[in-house]
Each structure stands twice: as structure tokens, then as C-alpha cells.
Amino acid sequence: MIAPQTLFDKLWASHEIARREDGEALLWVDRHYVHEGSFHAFSQVKARGRPVAEPGLTFGVADHYVPTRGSRRAIANPEIARMVRQVEENTAANHVTLFGLDDPRQGIVHVVGPEQGLTLPGLLIGCGDSHTSTHGALGAYAFGIGASEVAHVLMTQTIWQRKPTRMRVTVDGKVAPGITAKDIVLAIIAQIGADGATGCAIEFAGAAIRGLSMEGRLTLCNMSIEAGARCGMVAPDATTFAYLRGRPYAPAGADFDRAVKQWSALVTDGGAAFDREVTLDAAAIAPIVTWGTSPEDALPIDASVPDPAREPDEARADYLRGALAYMGIAPGQKLTDVAVDRVFIGSCTNSRIEDLRAAAAVLAGRVSKVPGLVSAGSSLVKRQAEEEGLDHIFRNAGLEWGESGCSMCVGINGDLVAPGERCASTTNRNFRGRQGPGARTHLMSPAMVAAAAVTGHLADVRVLMAGRKI
Amino acid sequence: MEKLVSLTASACPLNVANLNTDQLLPARFLKWPRSAGIGKVLLHDLRFDAEQRERPDFPLNRPAWRDAKIVVGGRNFGCGSSREAAVYALYDYGVRCVIAPSFGDIFSGNAIQNGLLTAIVSDDDAAALMAALEAKPDQPVTVDLEQQIILCGNTTYPFTVDPVRRMRLLNGWDDIDITDSYRDRIAAFKADDRTRRPWATPRATS
């Protein structure tokens, strides 16, 4: 009899080409996504004079450096223009499909992969971007890799890995109205810490996770890396299969039905053991915002920021002083008293159609007190949002409706938060200087960003949604 | 990859938890080719102020630690973005070993690919090392990868490192060379997998 296996055990076993005595295994890579930042890796491949082993399993996007404002082709900064050109040249020279600037399917790699049906249950997916964990939402083993590993995958379609330990995060019960996947994942990170899952493969389970849409699951798995995890995943189910049916690169017709049969076995067997279990009560989760410079610095919106003077641990008190000074927040200040200068809705974390709808539901008929940018996760999401009239809601609220890309999450395309400015943001990292040198970032859900926009300060979206349909 | 067996050098304490790769190398430098001198901008926004002046209080700017080849960091060192250029920046600055209680998973993977040792010590030992260095900044520290020990003054601290990574560093092996010896098994896996998981190949689109 085969011992009960976790979902992750099954994914791992089905990709193992060889295992060495030292414990490292050589794994087959089913999908490899590359972007502008992969230029170091393409240089390494070229230096070795090797071809790309599996161009048909490799897909490129232009996302990190693309402009979101004005003409997409007229990039003023020559260095940024070169980055976009390089990914075009590197993919073309190696016969790799590119969703480039002029392609209607262009978008953020972690939005495009699932949207195109390239990301499927049961796959192993690598990409030179830490938020590759996103794709685990469909029941895939997906993780971020560095440039040397990208080069290795390009040359061999394989990767060496040591098997991560297995962690299950169970969120039982039902979330209250207005609580989203972003609130759930920030609550998890606040509980276990920014390194709470280092070396782990997380499986998210429980009724509250099952109840999430595909978009919500993508947000959840996206942020796994912010807890230090190698990857995060949700077992595929009817929600997953309904999402995938009819997507361009997914199997079609009878092939799809046969695939669903195999995918349905990708669940954790009863009695399978995890190395670590974490449990949260969904009903206890309130809308959450971050106050500091690590995603673990997250609190419910009705809380006050910590006071270093009340912190007995000296090292922790030091950290609190540094974080509060950088963020320009007084010790013990109420979060709802923190005024914001700007808002951003976008990024691989929260830029899918459901995210835009949630923000628009708060903004409809209201005006933002601060400037802001909305950047859809893909050009297809942008088009759909326009078909639904969401762009009018954002524009009427005074926000800018931009093109798709990584944009103000990382700022390398020039979309920056000014030094000292405070931004309510749907992104994934509130690190010092992440959105620009000296920028102050507060992470939260799209609806909470919309609430901050219309009030001009961090605010509880539940108050603003009273009497409105969530 | 350059091998590393033992190292005796100046060691700089960076007593910050969650020192992420956005700090090690701010995103605006990611478009630089490595040949542009990425070591110059290591920890740029912590080392320099908005007018590009050195911040004298920052440890790496203090005379004793300017030429550090060893960094002693806090927990979750190198978390965040997968940018391998964060490792290039450390390595090209001259750093060959980072000692910390824990590391970002992707960062430590990138480190080994480039000959940078990530040595894991206990929280207490990291704190003790930093205190010893603060007390006597110019004392050299020895990191011995064969023995897996750190020597600072008269005190020895054990460290852990993944055994595979240790072997690769001791020998200076690149993993692509190792992988090439598995060529036949990769081909066999691929052929078998096509029938086992036919859905895993992307559907051809027109």
C-alpha cells in the first residue's frame, strides 16, 4: 500500500528525473516564463554557446519595464527602451513565444500565465521572479529562481532542488463580508512572520480557501513568498477547472476532460503528514493594512501602530523605532489617522478583473482625495474592465487609468512614489524604497486602497460599503 | 565558479532583520549589466544619502569594515525579490561569506551559484558575533568551510550549510556541468512523460 501523500508530494514525485544520495533531485520543468530581467541568463546561455532546450515550453513577456502611460513604444529613457528590446531580441533569437508590447495578450507574467491557460494543475513552473509562487493557485509547483537557475532551465529544461518541508495553512470557517484573499494572506504573514515559512511548500486549505475565487487564490499564493515560502498552492477543484476551460493554451475538448480526471487526483490524501500545521479562524480576520517596512508588520485597520516604549525586547524596540521613523508614523498612532498622499491599484498581487471590480465598487460615484494610478494586470484585463465600464469609474474618481505592467509595485519603468510620499497600495512589498527611494508603502486589498483614496487616509472599507453591494 | 575553502578577513555586522534584496540592490540598478560595476551600488540607499554622500554611521562605511569580505546579518537576510544581481553586488564589492540566523530561500540559492557562502548560525551566536565585532571592529574573522566553524577572537562558532552547497563551494563546481552527465535520463523522462501527462504540453495555438 502506498503511504498517504500530500498534494506537494505528488507534484514533486511526478517531476523527479533523478535523486542523488545527497538529497538533491533533478526535476523536469513544464513551463518556464522569462521577462526583461532575464537578460543576465540569456547572456550566460549565449556565453556557453548553447541553444534553448525547449523553446516550446518557454514563454516571454514584457512586463517589468514597460510604460503604463502615454505611447507604449515611445520610451523616453534609452536604458528602459533597451530592456524591452532585449527581451524581444532574446526570445526571437531562441524561437520563444513573446507576449510583447504590441501583443494584445501582454501583461504581468503572473497574470498572463493563468489567463492564457499556460499555467495548469500538476505543472512545475519556474520563472526568474519571486512572485512565481502565484501559479500555485491552480495546483502547480511554481517558484521563483535566480538568473543562474534561469540559464540552467533554458539550457536543460531541468532544475536541481532539495525537497522543501511541507506546511499546511488551514483557514477554517467563512470570512466576513468585505474580507478578501489579501486580508487572509496578510493575517497569515502577520501570524507566522516574514520568514515563517522559509524552506516550506505551503498548501492552503480549509473552507475559507475553498470559497475563494481563482483570482483570490492567485493573490493568496502570490504572497506566499512574503512569508518566505518556496511556493504556495491550492488543490485544484471545480473552481480551477471552470476557470481553465476554454483558455487558449489549456487542453480542449475530450483532452480537457481527460486532464480533469488526472488533475482531480491532485489532492492531499486523508492521513497524509505535514511537517507543520498552522490554523486560522476566517471569521476573526478584519481588513488588514501594513504599517511598517516588512509585510509581517500588518494589523487590523482598527488597531494602533506599536509603541517602542512599551516593547520589552530591546532589539524589537530598535526595529520598531527604525520602521516608524522611516514610515513617518508616531508611536501608538491609530492607523485610521494616517493620511495618504497617493494610491496605486495594480501588480501581480491584485490587478485581476475581480480586484478592479472590488475597487470600483467602493469608488463608484465618489471622488478620490489623492492622485492615483490604476494599472490592469494584463491588456486583456484592461479591455474587459473597459467593457464593464470600470475605467469610467476610476477616471470619474480622478484616478489615472494606465496600461498593464509591473508599474508602481517596483517602479523600474519610471512609475515612482516620490521620496517621503505615502502610498496606499495593492502590491506585495512595503520594503524601504520599494516604490522609489524614500517612498512609504502601505499594503492592503484593492477595496481598502479605494477606501483610502476617497477618505484621504487609511480607512475601514466596511464603513464605506455600508448599504452598497460588496 | 571560484572555490572557497577557508577565509580570513574583516567582518562587518549589519544588525538588521529582513534585510531584503531591494536594500542590497535597489531596483533602479537592475538594468545595469554586471560589467558596469554593480559592487559600487551595493546597499546604495543605506550607504549613501540622497545627495550621494556616504552616511558615516553605516557600518560598511566605517574604516574597519570598508573592505569586509564577511558580513554578519540578521534573520531572513536576502528575503524578497529573486534578483541575482543582489548577489553580484555583494560578490563584486568583495564579500565572499554572509553569516546570519536565516536566509531568504532564493537568495541563498543564488549565492551558491556565484561562490558566495551563506553560513547559518544560531540567533545567540549571531548576536555574540556582532557584539564582538562592535567591541573590536578590526579583528579578523575566519570562516572555515571544511570544519564548518567561524573563529572570532578566541571564540569558535559552529555554522550549518546545505551539504551539497558545501561540496560545490569546496570544489568550485557549476551545476550545469553536473546536469550534463544526466542527459540520457532527462531524455528518457521526457519521452515517458509525454504519454504519462499528455496535457502538460501547451496546446498548439494558431
Side-chain angles (χ1 to χ4, degrees), chain B residues 87-103:
Chain B
V87 171
Y88 304 160
L90 277 162
Y91 194 91
D92 294 353
Y93 184 89
V95 177
R96 293 292 177 271
C97 172
V98 182
I99 300 164
S102 62
F103 290 93

Side-chain angles (χ1 to χ4, degrees), chain A residues 177-178 361-362 364 366 451 460-470:
Chain A
V362 179
R366 290 174 169 148
D460 190 335
V461 66
R462 292 172 300 186
V463 177
L464 284 137
M465 287 308 282
R468 288 196 177 200
K469 191 174 177 297
I470 295 179

Side-chain angles (χ1 to χ4, degrees), chain A residues 7 79 88 193 263 272 276 329 332 346 352 380 402 411 426 430-431 433 467:
Chain A
L7 163 61
E79 284 184 308
E88 292 169 351
W263 293 340
R276 197 171 152 208
I329 300 177
R352 298 174 184 84
L380 290 175
T426 66
N430 52 342
F431 296 166

Side-chain angles (χ1 to χ4, degrees), chain A residues 14 30-31 48 50 54 82 146-148 152 160 162 195 230 248-250 262 296 429 431-432 434, chain B residues 20 22-23 27 31 75 80-82 84 105 110 162 176 179-180 182 189-190 196-197 199-200 203:
Chain A
S14 65
D30 293 306
R31 295 287 184 278
R48 284 185 181 260
R50 308 242 316 214
E54 299 283 349
R82 191 190 68 227
S148 296
H152 187 278
W160 289 101
R162 179 176 294 280
D195 57 352
R230 172 85 53 84
Y249 286 93
Q262 287 196 3
E296 70 184 17
R429 291 191 173 130
F431 296 166
R432 289 169 190 243
R434 168 78 177 182
Chain B
N20 56 68
D22 270 271
Q23 312 306 307
K31 48 189 181 298
R75 76 169 173 98
S81 155
S82 60
E84 191 163 305
D105 198 37
N110 290 339
D162 181 288
I176 190 81
T179 309
D180 281 342
Y182 286 84
F189 177 95
K190 181 180 160 183
R196 203 165 45 93
R197 299 185 308 144
W199 44 266
R203 183 160 62 92

